[in-house]
Amino acid sequence: MDYKGKIQERIKSYSLTTFGKKFIDCNDKEKYITLVKGLMEEIVPKWNNSLSKYHGKKKAYYFSAEYLMGRALSNNLINMNWKSEIKGLLEEYQIDYNKIEEAEDDAGLGNGGLGRLAACFLDSAATLDYPLMGYGLRYEYGIFSQKFIDGFQVEKHDNWLEFGDPWSIRKSQDKVVVNFSDGDVLAIPYDTPIIGYGGNTINTLRLWKAEAIRPFDLEEFNKQNYDLSVKDKNDAEYISKVLYPNDSREEGKILRLKQQYFFVSASLQDLIRKHLENYDNLDNFHSLHGIQLNDTHPTVAIPEMMRILTDEYDMEWDKAWNITVKTFAYTNHTILQEALEQWPIKLYKSLLPRVYEMIEKINEKLIEELKEKGMSQKTENYEIISGDNIKMAYLAIYGTHSTNGVAQVHTDILTESELNNWYKLYPERFNNKTNGITQRRWLLKSNPELSDLITDLLGSDKWITNLEELKKLEKYKDDEKILNKFLDIKQKKKNQVAEYIKENEGVEIDPNSIFDIQIKRFHEYKRQLLNAFHILDLYYRLKDNPDLDMVNRTFIFGGKAAPGYERAKGVIKFINEIKELVNNDKDINEKIKVVLVTNYGVSYGEKLFSAADISEQISTAGKEASGTGNMKFMLNGTPTIGTLDGANIEIVEEAGEENNFIFGLKVEDIKEIEDSYNPTKYYKEVKGLKRVMDSLIDGTFSDGDTGIFKELHDSILKGASWHSPDQYYLMKDFDSYREAHKRVDNAFRNRRDWAKKCWINMANAGKFTSDRTIEQYAKEIWDIKKA
């Protein structure tokens, strides 16, 4: 039987045995599940064969609190080169493939760039034939499903596993026990295939689910203590319930700590057990395992490794420490000192007492080492245990052989200022690995029209696995025929987004307007508020002069605010208030529209990145570690309006500042003015700025009597107990930002010159593939080889 025939037979069987009806009678969700079950029967043998080719070789392991995977169906079919066959099979049933694709839920395993980076890395490693396995948590409800009620973000549970996940396989035989002082829990692994392009290598993402050792107490049940009979089950399952639970109270902090320890302890036990199945001891563990800590969330793996080696396998301390340091590497994702993770000592002592003792020993070893280096007077600048807290970034640097930043400017800031003392101590440990994205998802899958044009012009599809091939396209930058084709594709993508937004958000937008898009996690340093101020200023200028000469503009926002982050949620409410004002004012003749898309995620992003005209990357200089959204926009031929921050700097280096719209303070400018900065000066003197700022407090908008708009206003002009006024320099950068927008408006009018800017950005996006990043990790940090 041919491949297509085998899948056809399988979906007939699975639809009957899973849903009790014929495939054609199933709804779209049921058809999706049935189809994936049929595909998995073909994938699993290839997966097992792929894993066996790395036996006895060093492998890398990615420890990450989140993986923002996106939908798997199309991505996997493209990578296996099965998509056309499956579409054809469905057409025989008169089934629309796109409806089946839309029936798949985005896996609720991540939130922002950190999780999406992890997903891109897994894709790249499998495509390049590197053995990289992901470890994390199988969150039952993800972070949350976002709704807007009266303009406020409301968090609803994201029940992405309501119908199960047909891509994952429960591996109960590999379960382990994780010990907490208040009770032990089972960690049950679920494995998902990570299929590289071409299907030659299929790696694994292993996610742990928490379950009770004794899920049901019959004795308590028979006593009619029904709550007590399932207490252990509920307590255990809380651990893998939700990504980043609100930790504004101690109960939330305890749960977060449990999550972190649970997944790293389970993962280390898993790796050590597998190692000992093939070797008599753990002396060579570091020679066969390289573990990357994705930010500080999994840093507790360092003392946990020491606990396992010394307590469970009686290894001498120094030998165990040598193995631990050589095994682990650490990726730093934040420049913000206040965001560097710290944990109260009392939580570790109460929940993980033995692990805390390991941290104490590690800290003692560090102090002893510093004294040997003649630094006994400076130990407080390095101590992992300081005051009442444990500094996880310090533990991560000391307990690993590599610390990397994720963009050149980020790494420079770490080594020159924020972590300069550590850099001086261990200069050989610090390195840069500029982030990247996978072109398979962010171009090949999400923008097939542009992908086809690229392949036609290059005469091959080598760019799919070698993005530097795009550089050859630069020769077409003045070719009017090619540029017009590009503009036609961009317009098609804009039309698609306009339809999607009308259907999903109920907002009708002009597909010929400039699509000005800012999609990312809501945070003060990312400065969605600066964007909102500019929109409101533009609206007021239109009200004052309805004949204002401007190209119609559609401002599109997307992103979520953490449940406990009141200021970020206040910015969302403010944008929704502006949206209601602007979109319902007939006097401005629909020259501007505002959209805040609901429940932004990977699948929504795939549509928006390919349709954007201008990419908003406006973080305060020196605050964004890298950014990867900027790379996705660039890859789809979208210029950046942004500060010289994170990867923006390298984007401008590649594509030219003349093809982007740079504004605002640079890192060195901020250093010069930070001690004397007075935002009130700009508030009063910059034309129009006071008017938009005061809309927060003068009754123009309602914050539902929460006081959050006044809090936003005060945070800028007065500051707070934990920060100075306008700590992200919105007032200083506002006028420069407004001028940059005027340059965008002027440039967009010349369609050929605009297309040229877009084209040059796309043609120079080759550096920003995650394939390049993974090659660097593999060779310079992990020392792993291809199959």
Side-chain angles (χ1 to χ4, degrees):
M1 187 187 296
D2 64 1
Y3 160 72
K4 186 176 170 184
K6 285 193 288 185
I7 297 296
Q8 204 159 16
E9 286 301 311
R10 287 170 189 159
I11 62 177
K12 283 180 183 178
S13 299
Y14 281 121
S15 58
L16 287 171
T17 57
T18 308
F19 300 108
K21 49 189 170 182
K22 293 180 181 178
F23 182 66
I24 195 65
D25 295 328
C26 292
N27 63 33
D28 290 341
K29 176 73 77 175
E30 291 166 344
K31 287 171 184 166
Y32 158 73
I33 292 170
T34 299
L35 175 61
V36 174
K37 285 189 171 186
L39 293 170
M40 281 292 280
E41 201 167 323
E42 193 75 14
I43 289 168
V44 172
K46 298 178 186 292
W47 186 9
N48 290 335
N49 289 337
S50 176
L51 295 178
S52 66
K53 67 186 179 183
Y54 298 116
H55 184 73
K57 298 178 181 179
K58 186 177 184 182
K59 305 178 189 69
Y61 303 88
Y62 208 70
F63 281 22
S64 181
E66 51 175 301
Y67 292 90
L68 195 56
M69 303 302 293
R71 291 173 176 154
L73 178 61
S74 284
N75 198 69
N76 286 344
L77 291 178
I78 288 168
N79 284 359
M80 294 295 290
N81 197 27
W82 291 348
K83 189 173 180 182
S84 60
E85 289 182 85
I86 296 301
K87 286 185 79 171
L89 185 155
L90 293 173
E91 283 169 7
E92 291 179 15
Y93 288 94
Q94 296 184 314
I95 293 169
D96 183 353
Y97 172 82
N98 292 329
K99 287 187 176 179
I100 305 302
E101 184 182 36
E102 286 289 322
E104 180 180 1
D105 291 309
D106 276 31
L109 301 169
N111 176 33
L114 184 88
R116 185 52 230 173
L117 181 75
C120 285
F121 280 0
L122 294 182
D123 175 275
S124 285
T127 296
L128 297 172
D129 296 322
Y130 281 116
L132 176 67
M133 180 178 184
Y135 274 108
L137 270 162
R138 181 180 166 91
Y139 302 103
E140 186 176 347
Y141 291 108
I143 185 163
F144 58 82
S145 178
Q146 182 191 55
K147 306 286 184 188
F148 300 122
I149 299 178
D150 295 328
F152 288 101
Q153 171 180 290
V154 176
E155 299 92 28
K156 303 288 186 181
H157 70 275
D158 173 21
N159 196 6
W160 74 281
L161 286 172
E162 181 180 2
F163 301 98
D165 173 21
W167 293 109
S168 63
I169 299 174
R170 180 183 172 103
K171 295 288 187 74
S172 296
Q173 70 272 19
D174 287 347
K175 66 179 178 287
V176 297
V177 176
V178 177
N179 307 118
F180 296 99
S181 62
D182 60 354
D184 301 339
V185 296
L186 282 177
I188 311 292
Y190 285 74
D191 287 358
T192 302
I194 305 297
I195 303 171
Y197 184 77
N200 295 324
T201 294
I202 303 179
N203 286 331
T204 303
L205 172 61
R206 172 160 283 195
L207 301 174
W208 299 98
K209 180 186 178 187
E211 294 186 2
I213 293 174
R214 190 172 66 159
F216 181 66
D217 189 329
L218 183 61
E219 185 178 347
E220 291 291 353
F221 189 86
N222 287 335
K223 291 177 183 175
Q224 300 177 61
N225 295 328
Y226 303 127
D227 289 346
L228 285 176
S229 72
V230 291
K231 183 179 183 303
D232 286 355
K233 179 179 188 294
N234 291 337
D235 287 350
E237 291 179 2
Y238 288 146
I239 294 171
S240 52
K241 212 70 160 177
V242 174
L243 169 65
Y244 298 151
N246 186 350
D247 63 353
S248 57
R249 298 193 324 200
E250 187 164 293
E251 292 86 349
K253 289 182 173 64
I254 290 170
L255 182 54
R256 278 213 192 196
L257 180 54
K258 278 192 168 185
Q259 287 184 334
Q260 291 184 3
Y261 180 72
F262 170 79
F263 102 78
V264 301
S265 178
S267 303
L268 289 175
Q269 289 184 61
D270 192 43
L271 291 177
I272 287 170
R273 178 178 59 193
K274 288 176 182 175
H275 180 88
L276 291 174
E277 287 172 1
N278 296 294
Y279 301 94
D280 293 335
N281 57 59
L282 293 164
D283 291 3
N284 63 338
F285 185 84
H286 59 283
S287 302
L288 293 165
H289 302 82
I291 300 175
Q292 192 72 33
L293 305 176
N294 192 26
D295 213 3
T296 50
H297 308 119
T299 301
V300 68
I302 294 167
E304 172 65 358
M305 182 75 163
M306 290 300 294
R307 184 196 66 78
I308 293 172
L309 294 179
T310 58
D311 285 5
E312 297 184 15
Y313 294 97
D314 297 320
M315 192 178 287
E316 184 267 329
W317 177 273
D318 287 340
K319 182 178 178 180
W321 183 247
N322 182 54
I323 290 172
T324 297
V325 171
K326 287 183 176 179
T327 298
F328 288 108
Y330 160 54
T331 298
N332 175 288
H333 283 278
T334 184
I335 299 165
L336 306 173
Q337 269 289 349
E338 64 271 21
L340 290 175
E341 191 177 19
Q342 298 188 45
W343 280 101
I345 289 171
K346 65 176 184 177
L347 292 187
Y348 261 82
K349 276 186 170 180
S350 63
L351 193 65
L352 304 167
R354 185 57 181 154
V355 173
Y356 178 69
E357 289 175 6
M358 290 291 140
I359 296 173
E360 282 187 313
K361 287 187 176 183
I362 293 168
N363 193 49
E364 288 167 8
K365 179 178 176 60
L366 169 63
I367 293 171
E368 182 183 318
E369 186 178 328
L370 291 171
K371 288 179 178 177
E372 288 174 1
K373 291 177 181 285
M375 300 171 63
S376 55
Q377 303 302 313
K378 300 178 181 179
T379 60
E380 69 274 7
N381 296 327
Y382 297 88
E383 291 174 18
I384 295 163
I385 299 172
S386 177
D388 297 325
N389 292 309
I390 304 165
K391 295 187 173 184
M392 304 309 286
Y394 288 8
L395 176 59
I397 298 167
Y398 184 55
T400 64
H401 66 275
S402 169
T403 293
N404 71 278
V406 291
Q408 191 59 58
V409 68
H410 169 224
T411 302
D412 291 344
I413 290 170
L414 293 180
T415 57
E416 293 170 12
S417 57
E418 298 304 304
L419 297 173
N420 178 252
N421 58 328
W422 283 98
Y423 174 67
K424 287 178 177 175
L425 189 63
Y426 299 118
E428 73 285 355
R429 293 189 182 183
F430 282 80
N431 59 93
N432 179 61
K433 298 288 175 282
T434 296
N435 282 343
I437 58 170
T438 167
Q439 63 267 31
R440 268 80 59 186
R441 181 173 289 273
W442 298 110
L443 185 54
L444 182 63
K445 177 184 181 295
S446 62
N447 200 342
E449 299 89 346
L450 184 55
S451 298
D452 288 345
L453 177 60
I454 290 168
T455 298
D456 287 346
L457 292 175
L458 291 174
S460 82
D461 62 2
K462 289 180 182 177
W463 64 270
I464 297 172
T465 53
N466 180 13
L467 199 59
E468 290 289 352
E469 288 282 305
L470 294 188
K471 186 69 176 176
K472 296 175 182 176
L473 296 174
E474 196 163 2
K475 66 184 178 183
Y476 296 107
K477 65 184 179 183
D478 294 307
D479 188 320
E480 195 163 346
K481 182 180 177 183
I482 300 303
L483 294 180
N484 283 335
K485 283 185 177 181
F486 169 79
L487 289 174
D488 288 345
I489 290 168
K490 181 70 79 171
Q491 191 59 55
K492 182 177 182 179
K493 305 311 286 186
K494 291 173 71 175
N495 293 342
Q496 291 170 358
V497 161
E499 273 300 311
Y500 194 80
I501 284 175
K502 182 179 179 182
E503 183 179 337
N504 287 273
E505 312 299 340
V507 180
E508 197 160 342
I509 60 177
D510 175 10
N512 297 307
S513 64
I514 298 173
F515 279 17
D516 182 318
I517 303 183
Q518 186 177 20
I519 40 179
K520 53 184 74 250
R521 179 170 54 92
F522 270 80
H523 195 290
E524 288 170 274
Y525 84 80
K526 293 179 184 289
R527 300 203 296 189
Q528 286 94 345
L529 189 55
L530 178 62
N531 192 345
F533 283 166
H534 169 254
I535 296 168
L536 192 56
D537 175 67
L538 184 57
Y539 169 77
Y540 285 143
R541 283 188 279 139
L542 275 169
K543 291 291 285 183
D544 293 339
N545 177 16
D547 298 321
L548 183 70
D549 182 23
M550 62 168 286
V551 180
N552 285 9
R553 185 88 65 112
T554 300
F555 295 95
I556 301 174
F557 295 86
K560 298 176 181 179
Y565 194 171
E566 294 304 326
R567 282 191 189 169
K569 294 172 83 169
V571 174
I572 286 175
K573 170 63 172 171
F574 185 54
I575 290 169
N576 273 323
E577 288 288 303
I578 293 171
K579 182 192 83 169
E580 291 302 311
L581 174 68
V582 168
N583 293 0
N584 293 302
D585 190 336
K586 292 182 170 54
D587 292 346
I588 63 170
N589 198 26
E590 297 192 341
K591 284 189 173 181
I592 56 175
K593 280 282 182 78
V594 180
V595 181
L596 177 48
V597 304
T598 309
N599 203 40
Y600 172 71
V602 173
S603 296
Y604 221 135
E606 288 173 14
K607 296 174 174 64
L608 295 173
F609 285 116
S610 58
D613 289 307
I614 193 74
S615 159
E616 295 268 357
Q617 306 296 330
I618 59 175
S619 54
T620 309
K623 299 300 182 187
E624 184 72 84
S626 173
T628 50
N630 45 11
M631 301 171 189
K632 293 160 198 165
F633 283 115
M634 183 191 194
L635 183 60
N636 283 275
T638 304
T640 293
I641 182 169
T643 51
L644 287 176
D645 192 30
N648 290 355
I649 295 172
E650 290 165 79
I651 285 173
V652 167
E653 287 173 354
E654 296 296 309
E657 190 163 341
E658 69 277 11
N659 296 307
N660 292 282
F661 301 88
I662 300 302
F663 75 93
L665 295 166
K666 302 180 181 71
V667 173
E668 57 268 29
D669 298 330
I670 290 174
K671 285 180 180 176
E672 284 184 16
I673 69 167
E674 59 187 350
D675 293 334
S676 59
Y677 178 57
N678 177 16
T680 304
K681 174 180 183 291
Y682 302 97
Y683 165 74
K684 291 179 177 178
E685 295 177 5
V686 174
K687 185 178 179 181
L689 184 51
K690 186 176 187 298
R691 186 178 185 182
V692 298
M693 263 284 288
D694 286 356
S695 71
L696 286 163
I697 57 170
D698 64 10
T700 301
F701 302 117
S702 169
D703 65 3
D705 295 322
T706 62
I708 190 58
F709 286 177
K710 185 176 187 304
E711 158 70 10
L712 287 171
H713 192 274
D714 288 350
S715 74
I716 293 171
L717 294 184
K718 298 179 182 177
S721 60
W722 68 92
H723 70 78
S724 57
D726 193 19
Q727 62 177 331
Y728 298 117
Y729 299 93
L730 280 76
M731 301 291 96
K732 173 64 176 170
D733 275 352
F734 177 80
D735 198 41
S736 176
Y737 180 53
R738 180 166 57 185
E739 289 302 312
H741 273 290
K742 290 176 183 176
R743 301 202 310 272
V744 170
D745 184 277
N746 290 332
F748 191 81
R749 296 166 192 253
N750 187 323
R751 301 304 290 141
R752 180 175 173 177
D753 283 356
W754 182 265
K756 182 176 178 180
K757 289 180 188 296
C758 295
W759 191 263
I760 290 173
N761 269 281
M762 181 195 68
N764 287 281
K767 174 181 178 176
F768 302 105
T769 172
S770 48
D771 296 353
R772 183 264 313 151
T773 318
I774 282 295
E775 288 280 12
Q776 291 177 330
Y777 274 100
K779 293 171 182 173
E780 298 168 21
I781 298 178
W782 303 331
D783 190 28
I784 58 173
K785 303 291 189 290
K786 298 184 180 186

